[in-house]
Amino acid sequence: MGPQGPAGTYTAGSGINIAGGVISATGVSTMPEYAYAYIGNSSTLGAQTLTSMFPAATYVNGVVMNGSSITLHANKMYEVTVSFYIYNATGGHTFRMKDATNSQYLGTEIYFGQGGSDVSYNLATTNFLFKPSTDVNIELEKTQGTDVNLIGKIVVKEIK
């Protein structure tokens, strides 16, 4: 075996820290922003109640949930998916995703049943891409209908 060479030297680059012989990452998480939320079971018109799935820390990263809205950040591309199951409902029901900050509807209308008829069981999903130019709050708004039983979720994922 030959003689041991000189010890190497290392220089920390972007996002790397070297201290006391330990190399570690620095900076902000590169995990994409996301939120997974349950949709409240509501018969009222307007913004629907959202609850982060349990445990909340596991189901929200980088975005803020505000009871009935989710805050998305400027210049990031998000995929938004809404799906729910309606059962034993009376009459037609319409739900729409809304940019509440700018009062604009997003994506497609989610509609169940015919006006005045009963909806026994119905499952629907819609999704769309959204890239806000400023921070915005998005909501799921009920625009038509009264009595409804539903189980649902909203999934918001940043696309990197």
Side-chain angles (χ1 to χ4, degrees), residues 4 8 12 15 24-25 29 35 49 64 67 78 82-83 88 102 119 125 140 145 153 159:
Q4 182 176 352
S24 58
S29 169
T49 302
V64 179
Y78 296 93
V82 181
S83 59
N88 299 334
N102 298 302
V119 179
T125 299
L140 177 66
K153 69 177 179 176
I159 299 174

Side-chain angles (χ1 to χ4, degrees), residues 31-139:
M31 287 287 295
E33 294 182 352
Y34 59 85
Y36 301 100
Y38 291 120
I39 300 167
N41 191 355
S42 173
S43 293
T44 60
L45 297 176
Q48 301 299 292
T49 302
L50 304 177
T51 306
S52 60
M53 294 179 160
F54 182 82
T58 305
Y59 293 97
V60 177
N61 180 52
V63 294
V64 179
M65 292 191 55
N66 307 302
S68 64
S69 68
I70 299 172
T71 302
L72 303 182
H73 298 107
N75 302 314
K76 294 187 176 191
M77 178 66 77
Y78 296 93
E79 178 182 19
V80 180
T81 303
V82 181
S83 59
F84 46 86
Y85 173 70
I86 286 187
Y87 58 99
N88 299 334
T90 304
H93 299 273
T94 306
F95 294 84
R96 296 189 75 178
M97 287 302 296
K98 184 177 185 179
D99 167 355
T101 305
N102 298 302
S103 195
Q104 295 178 339
Y105 289 113
L106 309 168
T108 58
E109 190 173 78
I110 310 167
Y111 181 75
F112 299 94
Q114 301 297 321
S117 66
D118 291 344
V119 179
S120 295
Y121 302 98
N122 200 335
L123 175 66
T125 299
T126 189
N127 65 353
F128 58 92
L129 298 176
F130 181 50
K131 184 177 183 180
S133 57
T134 61
D135 287 5
V136 297
N137 292 324
I138 62 168
E139 299 174 336

